[in-house]
Amino acid sequence: MTETTPTRTTVGIGGAAESTDMVLNIGPQHPSTHGVLRLRLVLDGEVIREAEPVIGYMHRGAEKLFEARDYRQIVMLANRHDWLSAFSNELGVVMAVERMLGMEVPERAVWTRTLLAELNRVLNHLMFLGSYPLELGGITPMFHAFREREELQSVMEEISGGRMHYMFNRVGGLKEDLPAGWLSRARHAVAEVRSRMDVYDRLVLGNEIFRGRTRGIGALSREAVHAYGVSGPIARASGVDFDLRRDEPYLAYGELLGTLKVVTREEGDCLARFECLLEQTHNALDLADACLDRIPELPPGPINQRLPKVLKAPEGHTYAWTENPLGVNGYYLVSKGEKTPYRLKLRSASFNNIQALAELLPGTQVSDMVAILGSLFFVVGDIDK
């Protein structure tokens, strides 16, 4: 669908002439894993002059629904706004409630949560490692990505029963202990995925067409990252060296600093963002292996805390944030001492990251729009929340 803006007069060699900018709507149809997004572009020929992300087409109302569910039920709502990062979404909510309660989580739950968070990170990144080349015309990496995802999905499904919405976190720990032999099966899955990760180095990064479509395209400055609150691999690709796992450690990350690698680039373009995502996937597999080495060494014990039948958080407020696969995810919890939150504000990564399109797209060619859009690695449910 197109529309036109008022004409304007330009002066060229042949004299004055009238020209008309075109307003082009991209979307809101978007039948893919990322969700339903609309872009409103003002074009001058093939050049984008203005860009406005139009959001809200799949508004989930999660923040309002949080106020009508008790502290056990909100975990189900939390894992759905970014459906590619469900375990990490649950994690932030239960950490906020545990902080309000002053609750210590068993050590086995801390390390298992760390392991599952990194496996979830790999699952998230594999989707974008496959879908981004697909958006630029290369279908083969998507087949590889789904094969590797299936290796990890099988072990995640075994412990939780879910393929996308795991519902495995609980206030005070995890739903239940790991099945017998699961750690060895998880180690095998991690090894299988790692053995085939060079596909993305050779098939994607080694492809001169892919590099030509992404190098120097959609460069995001460090100043813009700070101005828009951009986080995650997109921010680190612009030289912002920030990762909550290292800078404000939670779970077991404080003991994994020797393995944790915060990947950064200085270019801030589409290629740098893809490289950060790929290297972060390699490191997440290393962190998962480190957790798999540590968990068998832990002394026997529970994996969760016993809770009262009616769970109420004391009056007060707290903020819990985590380094989700797509960036910083935060929950600001306000309690009036009831069994439901008085207020639970969600700070989602994709909501801030997508606003940078207003800065990235103006001045670029229409042909580069998809490359820039895809390189922001967003999930629209995480935007509309």
Side-chain angles (χ1 to χ4, degrees):
M1 181 175 67
T2 62
E3 53 188 285
T4 57
T5 59
T7 60
R8 55 190 172 89
T9 302
T10 58
V11 179
I13 297 175
E18 287 189 346
S19 64
T20 303
D21 286 341
M22 176 181 290
V23 178
L24 180 66
N25 286 287
I26 307 296
Q29 293 81 16
H30 195 308
S32 81
T33 55
H34 309 326
V36 184
L37 178 71
R38 174 187 166 204
L39 287 179
R40 184 179 182 273
L41 307 179
V42 177
L43 306 179
D44 179 10
E46 291 292 315
V47 178
I48 299 172
R49 295 300 180 199
E50 298 175 26
E52 177 191 3
V54 183
I55 63 176
Y57 284 90
M58 55 185 304
H59 180 52
R60 309 181 70 82
E63 292 176 332
K64 196 64 183 174
L65 290 171
F66 285 147
E67 300 172 15
R69 304 292 190 276
D70 67 34
Y71 287 107
R72 291 182 174 89
Q73 294 169 328
I74 60 175
V75 177
M76 179 274 293
L77 292 170
N79 71 16
R80 281 163 165 75
H81 58 87
D82 175 1
W83 45 78
L84 296 178
S85 308
F87 187 86
S88 301
N89 298 341
E90 300 172 10
L91 198 54
V93 165
V94 296
M95 285 174 58
V97 180
E98 289 160 2
R99 188 172 297 174
M100 288 287 285
L101 293 168
M103 180 181 290
E104 286 289 331
V105 177
E107 190 179 16
R108 286 178 55 79
V110 170
W111 279 95
T112 306
R113 280 177 172 179
T114 310
L115 166 62
L116 297 177
E118 291 306 311
L119 293 180
N120 192 195
R121 191 180 311 277
V122 177
L123 282 167
N124 174 287
H125 289 356
L126 282 171
M127 178 61 76
F128 289 105
L129 292 174
S131 66
Y132 185 50
L134 176 64
E135 288 160 358
L136 298 181
I139 192 172
T140 307
M142 195 64 168
F143 298 139
H144 288 280
F146 269 87
R147 182 184 62 184
E148 317 318 338
R149 276 174 54 85
E150 195 60 36
E151 293 280 355
L152 298 177
Q153 287 282 33
S154 62
V155 294
M156 295 292 280
E157 185 178 6
E158 181 183 354
I159 59 166
S160 67
R163 289 180 58 84
M164 289 186 70
H165 306 303
Y166 304 112
M167 278 298 294
F168 199 58
N169 274 293
R170 295 291 186 272
V171 175
L174 294 168
K175 176 186 175 184
E176 56 197 9
D177 213 335
L178 301 174
W182 184 88
L183 289 174
S184 63
R185 291 189 288 276
R187 188 184 295 278
H188 174 75
V190 169
E192 285 291 302
V193 172
R194 179 185 281 107
S195 70
R196 296 194 286 258
M197 283 299 295
D198 67 317
V199 165
Y200 304 99
D201 295 296
R202 295 183 292 102
L203 188 64
V204 183
L205 286 181
N207 185 292
E208 61 183 60
I209 298 175
F210 178 84
R211 299 183 75 86
R213 290 290 307 276
T214 56
R215 186 192 289 114
I217 303 298
L220 183 66
S221 68
R222 188 177 305 191
E223 293 73 24
V225 167
H226 292 305
Y228 286 94
V230 174
S231 60
I234 302 170
R236 292 191 282 272
S238 295
V240 177
D241 188 8
F242 176 73
D243 191 312
L244 281 173
R245 296 172 297 171
R246 179 199 63 194
D247 300 326
E248 194 174 306
Y250 58 97
L251 296 182
Y253 290 114
E255 299 183 46
L256 292 170
L257 296 180
T259 306
L260 175 63
K261 178 184 178 185
V262 179
V263 183
T264 61
R265 291 288 187 275
E266 294 298 327
E267 297 82 1
D269 57 8
C270 295
L271 181 59
R273 290 191 277 274
F274 187 85
E275 288 176 341
C276 279
L277 198 76
L278 178 55
E279 286 198 39
Q280 192 168 285
T281 308
H282 284 289
N283 187 238
L285 291 169
D286 294 338
L287 289 167
D289 266 341
C291 293
L292 288 166
D293 290 338
R294 183 76 173 91
I295 292 173
E297 299 173 355
L298 298 175
I303 201 143
N304 50 38
Q305 295 276 25
R306 292 184 65 86
L307 300 176
K309 188 174 182 180
V310 178
L311 180 63
K312 295 183 179 182
E315 189 169 349
H317 60 91
T318 190
Y319 183 69
W321 56 347
T322 55
E323 187 68 41
N324 268 32
L326 299 182
V328 172
N329 190 80
Y331 293 97
Y332 178 61
L333 171 62
V334 181
S335 171
K336 290 294 184 73
E338 302 296 329
K339 66 178 182 179
T340 61
Y342 176 74
R343 187 77 175 92
L344 187 55
K345 175 70 174 69
L346 167 60
R347 190 268 187 217
S348 62
S350 297
F351 180 82
N352 286 73
N353 293 354
I354 203 70
Q355 309 306 322
L357 282 171
E359 180 102 5
L360 278 174
L361 289 177
T364 64
Q365 300 286 322
V366 175
S367 57
D368 292 327
M369 185 265 302
V370 171
I372 296 170
L373 182 65
S375 73
L376 292 188
F377 311 131
F378 59 89
V379 171
V380 179
D382 204 38
I383 300 171
D384 290 349
K385 48 186 178 176

PDB file of all heavy atoms in Angstrom, residues 303-331:
ATOM      1  N   ILE A 303      16.229 -29.301  44.592  1.00  0.00           N
ATOM      2  CA  ILE A 303      16.363 -28.396  43.443  1.00  0.00           C
ATOM      3  C   ILE A 303      15.356 -27.258  43.535  1.00  0.00           C
ATOM      4  O   ILE A 303      15.275 -26.406  42.652  1.00  0.00           O
ATOM      5  CB  ILE A 303      16.207 -29.165  42.122  1.00  0.00           C
ATOM      6  CG1 ILE A 303      16.832 -28.387  40.956  1.00  0.00           C
ATOM      7  CG2 ILE A 303      14.716 -29.459  41.822  1.00  0.00           C
ATOM      8  CD1 ILE A 303      17.506 -29.207  39.945  1.00  0.00           C
ATOM      9  N   ASN A 304      14.610 -27.225  44.631  1.00  0.00           N
ATOM     10  CA  ASN A 304      13.692 -26.108  44.840  1.00  0.00           C
ATOM     11  C   ASN A 304      13.397 -25.960  46.339  1.00  0.00           C
ATOM     12  O   ASN A 304      13.753 -26.820  47.147  1.00  0.00           O
ATOM     13  CB  ASN A 304      12.379 -26.302  44.060  1.00  0.00           C
ATOM     14  CG  ASN A 304      11.773 -27.667  44.291  1.00  0.00           C
ATOM     15  OD1 ASN A 304      11.807 -28.192  45.402  1.00  0.00           O
ATOM     16  ND2 ASN A 304      11.215 -28.264  43.236  1.00  0.00           N
ATOM     17  N   GLN A 305      12.767 -24.863  46.686  1.00  0.00           N
ATOM     18  CA  GLN A 305      12.362 -24.592  48.063  1.00  0.00           C
ATOM     19  C   GLN A 305      10.884 -24.929  48.237  1.00  0.00           C
ATOM     20  O   GLN A 305      10.090 -24.758  47.301  1.00  0.00           O
ATOM     21  CB  GLN A 305      12.579 -23.104  48.392  1.00  0.00           C
ATOM     22  CG  GLN A 305      14.028 -22.649  48.374  1.00  0.00           C
ATOM     23  CD  GLN A 305      14.720 -22.933  49.700  1.00  0.00           C
ATOM     24  OE1 GLN A 305      14.317 -23.834  50.442  1.00  0.00           O
ATOM     25  NE2 GLN A 305      15.771 -22.188  50.000  1.00  0.00           N
ATOM     26  N   ARG A 306      10.545 -25.378  49.409  1.00  0.00           N
ATOM     27  CA  ARG A 306       9.131 -25.616  49.708  1.00  0.00           C
ATOM     28  C   ARG A 306       8.446 -24.274  49.912  1.00  0.00           C
ATOM     29  O   ARG A 306       8.949 -23.396  50.613  1.00  0.00           O
ATOM     30  CB  ARG A 306       8.973 -26.484  50.957  1.00  0.00           C
ATOM     31  CG  ARG A 306       9.458 -27.918  50.755  1.00  0.00           C
ATOM     32  CD  ARG A 306       9.194 -28.749  51.990  1.00  0.00           C
ATOM     33  NE  ARG A 306       7.765 -28.901  52.245  1.00  0.00           N
ATOM     34  CZ  ARG A 306       7.003 -29.844  51.704  1.00  0.00           C
ATOM     35  NH1 ARG A 306       7.524 -30.726  50.859  1.00  0.00           N
ATOM     36  NH2 ARG A 306       5.725 -29.941  52.002  1.00  0.00           N
ATOM     37  N   LEU A 307       7.282 -24.102  49.293  1.00  0.00           N
ATOM     38  CA  LEU A 307       6.554 -22.839  49.356  1.00  0.00           C
ATOM     39  C   LEU A 307       5.214 -23.022  50.047  1.00  0.00           C
ATOM     40  O   LEU A 307       4.642 -24.118  50.026  1.00  0.00           O
ATOM     41  CB  LEU A 307       6.314 -22.303  47.939  1.00  0.00           C
ATOM     42  CG  LEU A 307       7.551 -22.012  47.087  1.00  0.00           C
ATOM     43  CD1 LEU A 307       7.127 -21.595  45.684  1.00  0.00           C
ATOM     44  CD2 LEU A 307       8.407 -20.933  47.724  1.00  0.00           C
ATOM     45  N   PRO A 308       4.690 -21.960  50.651  1.00  0.00           N
ATOM     46  CA  PRO A 308       3.340 -22.057  51.225  1.00  0.00           C
ATOM     47  C   PRO A 308       2.295 -22.234  50.140  1.00  0.00           C
ATOM     48  O   PRO A 308       2.537 -21.918  48.961  1.00  0.00           O
ATOM     49  CB  PRO A 308       3.170 -20.708  51.945  1.00  0.00           C
ATOM     50  CG  PRO A 308       4.144 -19.788  51.284  1.00  0.00           C
ATOM     51  CD  PRO A 308       5.297 -20.639  50.873  1.00  0.00           C
ATOM     52  N   LYS A 309       1.131 -22.722  50.529  1.00  0.00           N
ATOM     53  CA  LYS A 309       0.078 -22.969  49.554  1.00  0.00           C
ATOM     54  C   LYS A 309      -0.338 -21.678  48.855  1.00  0.00           C
ATOM     55  O   LYS A 309      -0.587 -21.666  47.641  1.00  0.00           O
ATOM     56  CB  LYS A 309      -1.128 -23.614  50.244  1.00  0.00           C
ATOM     57  CG  LYS A 309      -2.205 -24.077  49.281  1.00  0.00           C
ATOM     58  CD  LYS A 309      -3.297 -24.844  50.011  1.00  0.00           C
ATOM     59  CE  LYS A 309      -4.354 -25.349  49.024  1.00  0.00           C
ATOM     60  NZ  LYS A 309      -5.425 -26.111  49.713  1.00  0.00           N
ATOM     61  N   VAL A 310      -0.416 -20.598  49.589  1.00  0.00           N
ATOM     62  CA  VAL A 310      -0.705 -19.283  49.018  1.00  0.00           C
ATOM     63  C   VAL A 310       0.555 -18.442  49.167  1.00  0.00           C
ATOM     64  O   VAL A 310       0.968 -18.121  50.276  1.00  0.00           O
ATOM     65  CB  VAL A 310      -1.895 -18.597  49.716  1.00  0.00           C
ATOM     66  CG1 VAL A 310      -2.131 -17.210  49.126  1.00  0.00           C
ATOM     67  CG2 VAL A 310      -3.145 -19.453  49.591  1.00  0.00           C
ATOM     68  N   LEU A 311       1.167 -18.106  48.048  1.00  0.00           N
ATOM     69  CA  LEU A 311       2.428 -17.375  48.062  1.00  0.00           C
ATOM     70  C   LEU A 311       2.161 -15.884  47.952  1.00  0.00           C
ATOM     71  O   LEU A 311       1.543 -15.417  46.982  1.00  0.00           O
ATOM     72  CB  LEU A 311       3.305 -17.841  46.895  1.00  0.00           C
ATOM     73  CG  LEU A 311       4.668 -17.171  46.759  1.00  0.00           C
ATOM     74  CD1 LEU A 311       5.537 -17.458  47.978  1.00  0.00           C
ATOM     75  CD2 LEU A 311       5.353 -17.612  45.478  1.00  0.00           C
ATOM     76  N   LYS A 312       2.612 -15.128  48.945  1.00  0.00           N
ATOM     77  CA  LYS A 312       2.456 -13.669  48.936  1.00  0.00           C
ATOM     78  C   LYS A 312       3.827 -13.024  49.093  1.00  0.00           C
ATOM     79  O   LYS A 312       4.604 -13.420  49.961  1.00  0.00           O
ATOM     80  CB  LYS A 312       1.538 -13.212  50.072  1.00  0.00           C
ATOM     81  CG  LYS A 312       0.098 -13.684  49.942  1.00  0.00           C
ATOM     82  CD  LYS A 312      -0.762 -13.131  51.061  1.00  0.00           C
ATOM     83  CE  LYS A 312      -2.215 -13.580  50.926  1.00  0.00           C
ATOM     84  NZ  LYS A 312      -3.073 -13.006  52.003  1.00  0.00           N
ATOM     85  N   ALA A 313       4.104 -12.039  48.247  1.00  0.00           N
ATOM     86  CA  ALA A 313       5.346 -11.285  48.384  1.00  0.00           C
ATOM     87  C   ALA A 313       5.119 -10.133  49.351  1.00  0.00           C
ATOM     88  O   ALA A 313       4.045  -9.525  49.357  1.00  0.00           O
ATOM     89  CB  ALA A 313       5.786 -10.749  47.025  1.00  0.00           C
ATOM     90  N   PRO A 314       6.093  -9.817  50.210  1.00  0.00           N
ATOM     91  CA  PRO A 314       5.917  -8.712  51.148  1.00  0.00           C
ATOM     92  C   PRO A 314       5.791  -7.373  50.425  1.00  0.00           C
ATOM     93  O   PRO A 314       6.192  -7.240  49.264  1.00  0.00           O
ATOM     94  CB  PRO A 314       7.193  -8.762  51.988  1.00  0.00           C
ATOM     95  CG  PRO A 314       8.187  -9.472  51.140  1.00  0.00           C
ATOM     96  CD  PRO A 314       7.413 -10.446  50.324  1.00  0.00           C
ATOM     97  N   GLU A 315       5.247  -6.392  51.101  1.00  0.00           N
ATOM     98  CA  GLU A 315       5.071  -5.076  50.500  1.00  0.00           C
ATOM     99  C   GLU A 315       6.428  -4.455  50.181  1.00  0.00           C
ATOM    100  O   GLU A 315       7.362  -4.526  50.978  1.00  0.00           O
ATOM    101  CB  GLU A 315       4.279  -4.175  51.439  1.00  0.00           C
ATOM    102  CG  GLU A 315       3.862  -2.863  50.817  1.00  0.00           C
ATOM    103  CD  GLU A 315       2.851  -2.101  51.668  1.00  0.00           C
ATOM    104  OE1 GLU A 315       2.334  -2.700  52.628  1.00  0.00           O
ATOM    105  OE2 GLU A 315       2.577  -0.929  51.357  1.00  0.00           O
ATOM    106  N   GLY A 316       6.539  -3.859  49.014  1.00  0.00           N
ATOM    107  CA  GLY A 316       7.802  -3.252  48.597  1.00  0.00           C
ATOM    108  C   GLY A 316       7.950  -3.305  47.090  1.00  0.00           C
ATOM    109  O   GLY A 316       6.987  -3.574  46.358  1.00  0.00           O
ATOM    110  N   HIS A 317       9.155  -3.062  46.621  1.00  0.00           N
ATOM    111  CA  HIS A 317       9.407  -3.103  45.180  1.00  0.00           C
ATOM    112  C   HIS A 317      10.847  -3.535  44.929  1.00  0.00           C
ATOM    113  O   HIS A 317      11.726  -3.372  45.785  1.00  0.00           O
ATOM    114  CB  HIS A 317       9.139  -1.743  44.532  1.00  0.00           C
ATOM    115  CG  HIS A 317       9.985  -0.632  45.084  1.00  0.00           C
ATOM    116  ND1 HIS A 317      11.212  -0.289  44.552  1.00  0.00           N
ATOM    117  CD2 HIS A 317       9.784   0.202  46.144  1.00  0.00           C
ATOM    118  CE1 HIS A 317      11.723   0.715  45.239  1.00  0.00           C
ATOM    119  NE2 HIS A 317      10.891   1.030  46.214  1.00  0.00           N
ATOM    120  N   THR A 318      11.086  -4.092  43.761  1.00  0.00           N
ATOM    121  CA  THR A 318      12.432  -4.526  43.383  1.00  0.00           C
ATOM    122  C   THR A 318      12.522  -4.570  41.861  1.00  0.00           C
ATOM    123  O   THR A 318      11.504  -4.542  41.163  1.00  0.00           O
ATOM    124  CB  THR A 318      12.762  -5.904  43.972  1.00  0.00           C
ATOM    125  OG1 THR A 318      14.154  -6.188  43.785  1.00  0.00           O
ATOM    126  CG2 THR A 318      11.965  -7.009  43.290  1.00  0.00           C
ATOM    127  N   TYR A 319      13.748  -4.642  41.372  1.00  0.00           N
ATOM    128  CA  TYR A 319      13.990  -4.733  39.928  1.00  0.00           C
ATOM    129  C   TYR A 319      14.985  -5.853  39.685  1.00  0.00           C
ATOM    130  O   TYR A 319      16.055  -5.878  40.284  1.00  0.00           O
ATOM    131  CB  TYR A 319      14.535  -3.404  39.390  1.00  0.00           C
ATOM    132  CG  TYR A 319      14.750  -3.386  37.885  1.00  0.00           C
ATOM    133  CD1 TYR A 319      13.667  -3.403  37.010  1.00  0.00           C
ATOM    134  CD2 TYR A 319      16.032  -3.361  37.340  1.00  0.00           C
ATOM    135  CE1 TYR A 319      13.849  -3.384  35.641  1.00  0.00           C
ATOM    136  CE2 TYR A 319      16.226  -3.337  35.961  1.00  0.00           C
ATOM    137  CZ  TYR A 319      15.131  -3.348  35.119  1.00  0.00           C
ATOM    138  OH  TYR A 319      15.315  -3.335  33.757  1.00  0.00           O
ATOM    139  N   ALA A 320      14.635  -6.779  38.819  1.00  0.00           N
ATOM    140  CA  ALA A 320      15.525  -7.884  38.456  1.00  0.00           C
ATOM    141  C   ALA A 320      15.732  -7.856  36.955  1.00  0.00           C
ATOM    142  O   ALA A 320      14.760  -7.822  36.195  1.00  0.00           O
ATOM    143  CB  ALA A 320      14.923  -9.221  38.889  1.00  0.00           C
ATOM    144  N   TRP A 321      16.994  -7.853  36.542  1.00  0.00           N
ATOM    145  CA  TRP A 321      17.273  -7.851  35.101  1.00  0.00           C
ATOM    146  C   TRP A 321      18.253  -8.950  34.759  1.00  0.00           C
ATOM    147  O   TRP A 321      19.079  -9.345  35.569  1.00  0.00           O
ATOM    148  CB  TRP A 321      17.742  -6.487  34.616  1.00  0.00           C
ATOM    149  CG  TRP A 321      18.946  -5.884  35.298  1.00  0.00           C
ATOM    150  CD1 TRP A 321      19.544  -6.267  36.460  1.00  0.00           C
ATOM    151  CD2 TRP A 321      19.690  -4.741  34.832  1.00  0.00           C
ATOM    152  NE1 TRP A 321      20.605  -5.460  36.751  1.00  0.00           N
ATOM    153  CE2 TRP A 321      20.729  -4.506  35.777  1.00  0.00           C
ATOM    154  CE3 TRP A 321      19.589  -3.909  33.729  1.00  0.00           C
ATOM    155  CZ2 TRP A 321      21.655  -3.481  35.633  1.00  0.00           C
ATOM    156  CZ3 TRP A 321      20.507  -2.882  33.597  1.00  0.00           C
ATOM    157  CH2 TRP A 321      21.511  -2.670  34.533  1.00  0.00           C
ATOM    158  N   THR A 322      18.130  -9.455  33.552  1.00  0.00           N
ATOM    159  CA  THR A 322      18.964 -10.555  33.092  1.00  0.00           C
ATOM    160  C   THR A 322      19.465 -10.241  31.685  1.00  0.00           C
ATOM    161  O   THR A 322      18.865  -9.443  30.959  1.00  0.00           O
ATOM    162  CB  THR A 322      18.182 -11.880  33.055  1.00  0.00           C
ATOM    163  OG1 THR A 322      17.011 -11.718  32.250  1.00  0.00           O
ATOM    164  CG2 THR A 322      17.783 -12.320  34.455  1.00  0.00           C
ATOM    165  N   GLU A 323      20.560 -10.901  31.319  1.00  0.00           N
ATOM    166  CA  GLU A 323      21.105 -10.770  29.961  1.00  0.00           C
ATOM    167  C   GLU A 323      20.436 -11.834  29.103  1.00  0.00           C
ATOM    168  O   GLU A 323      20.936 -12.945  28.959  1.00  0.00           O
ATOM    169  CB  GLU A 323      22.626 -10.946  29.977  1.00  0.00           C
ATOM    170  CG  GLU A 323      23.293 -10.650  28.653  1.00  0.00           C
ATOM    171  CD  GLU A 323      23.237  -9.189  28.240  1.00  0.00           C
ATOM    172  OE1 GLU A 323      23.413  -8.295  29.094  1.00  0.00           O
ATOM    173  OE2 GLU A 323      23.021  -8.947  27.029  1.00  0.00           O
ATOM    174  N   ASN A 324      19.288 -11.465  28.547  1.00  0.00           N
ATOM    175  CA  ASN A 324      18.556 -12.381  27.673  1.00  0.00           C
ATOM    176  C   ASN A 324      19.280 -12.528  26.338  1.00  0.00           C
ATOM    177  O   ASN A 324      20.142 -11.711  26.013  1.00  0.00           O
ATOM    178  CB  ASN A 324      17.132 -11.875  27.456  1.00  0.00           C
ATOM    179  CG  ASN A 324      16.156 -12.436  28.459  1.00  0.00           C
ATOM    180  OD1 ASN A 324      16.535 -12.695  29.600  1.00  0.00           O
ATOM    181  ND2 ASN A 324      14.911 -12.601  28.070  1.00  0.00           N
ATOM    182  N   PRO A 325      18.948 -13.525  25.546  1.00  0.00           N
ATOM    183  CA  PRO A 325      19.625 -13.681  24.247  1.00  0.00           C
ATOM    184  C   PRO A 325      19.591 -12.441  23.370  1.00  0.00           C
ATOM    185  O   PRO A 325      20.560 -12.139  22.681  1.00  0.00           O
ATOM    186  CB  PRO A 325      18.852 -14.838  23.604  1.00  0.00           C
ATOM    187  CG  PRO A 325      18.383 -15.655  24.759  1.00  0.00           C
ATOM    188  CD  PRO A 325      18.066 -14.669  25.837  1.00  0.00           C
ATOM    189  N   LEU A 326      18.480 -11.677  23.395  1.00  0.00           N
ATOM    190  CA  LEU A 326      18.359 -10.503  22.531  1.00  0.00           C
ATOM    191  C   LEU A 326      18.771  -9.216  23.221  1.00  0.00           C
ATOM    192  O   LEU A 326      18.769  -8.160  22.580  1.00  0.00           O
ATOM    193  CB  LEU A 326      16.923 -10.378  22.008  1.00  0.00           C
ATOM    194  CG  LEU A 326      16.415 -11.549  21.171  1.00  0.00           C
ATOM    195  CD1 LEU A 326      15.000 -11.275  20.678  1.00  0.00           C
ATOM    196  CD2 LEU A 326      17.335 -11.826  19.995  1.00  0.00           C
ATOM    197  N   GLY A 327      19.110  -9.261  24.503  1.00  0.00           N
ATOM    198  CA  GLY A 327      19.520  -8.057  25.211  1.00  0.00           C
ATOM    199  C   GLY A 327      18.992  -8.037  26.637  1.00  0.00           C
ATOM    200  O   GLY A 327      18.549  -9.055  27.170  1.00  0.00           O
ATOM    201  N   VAL A 328      19.015  -6.862  27.244  1.00  0.00           N
ATOM    202  CA  VAL A 328      18.628  -6.726  28.654  1.00  0.00           C
ATOM    203  C   VAL A 328      17.122  -6.876  28.802  1.00  0.00           C
ATOM    204  O   VAL A 328      16.335  -6.207  28.126  1.00  0.00           O
ATOM    205  CB  VAL A 328      19.078  -5.359  29.209  1.00  0.00           C
ATOM    206  CG1 VAL A 328      18.509  -5.141  30.609  1.00  0.00           C
ATOM    207  CG2 VAL A 328      20.604  -5.278  29.236  1.00  0.00           C
ATOM    208  N   ASN A 329      16.720  -7.771  29.695  1.00  0.00           N
ATOM    209  CA  ASN A 329      15.314  -8.007  30.003  1.00  0.00           C
ATOM    210  C   ASN A 329      15.115  -7.741  31.492  1.00  0.00           C
ATOM    211  O   ASN A 329      15.798  -8.335  32.325  1.00  0.00           O
ATOM    212  CB  ASN A 329      14.944  -9.457  29.681  1.00  0.00           C
ATOM    213  CG  ASN A 329      13.453  -9.713  29.750  1.00  0.00           C
ATOM    214  OD1 ASN A 329      12.723  -9.407  28.817  1.00  0.00           O
ATOM    215  ND2 ASN A 329      12.993 -10.269  30.853  1.00  0.00           N
ATOM    216  N   GLY A 330      14.212  -6.820  31.826  1.00  0.00           N
ATOM    217  CA  GLY A 330      14.047  -6.444  33.222  1.00  0.00           C
ATOM    218  C   GLY A 330      12.605  -6.474  33.672  1.00  0.00           C
ATOM    219  O   GLY A 330      11.683  -6.215  32.883  1.00  0.00           O
ATOM    220  N   TYR A 331      12.402  -6.786  34.949  1.00  0.00           N
ATOM    221  CA  TYR A 331      11.066  -6.783  35.555  1.00  0.00           C
ATOM    222  C   TYR A 331      11.102  -5.898  36.798  1.00  0.00           C
ATOM    223  O   TYR A 331      11.882  -6.147  37.722  1.00  0.00           O
ATOM    224  CB  TYR A 331      10.638  -8.196  35.955  1.00  0.00           C
ATOM    225  CG  TYR A 331      10.407  -9.141  34.809  1.00  0.00           C
ATOM    226  CD1 TYR A 331      11.395 -10.022  34.397  1.00  0.00           C
ATOM    227  CD2 TYR A 331       9.191  -9.163  34.133  1.00  0.00           C
ATOM    228  CE1 TYR A 331      11.182 -10.906  33.354  1.00  0.00           C
ATOM    229  CE2 TYR A 331       8.969 -10.041  33.085  1.00  0.00           C
ATOM    230  CZ  TYR A 331       9.969 -10.909  32.704  1.00  0.00           C
ATOM    231  OH  TYR A 331       9.764 -11.772  31.672  1.00  0.00           O
TER     232      TYR A 331
END
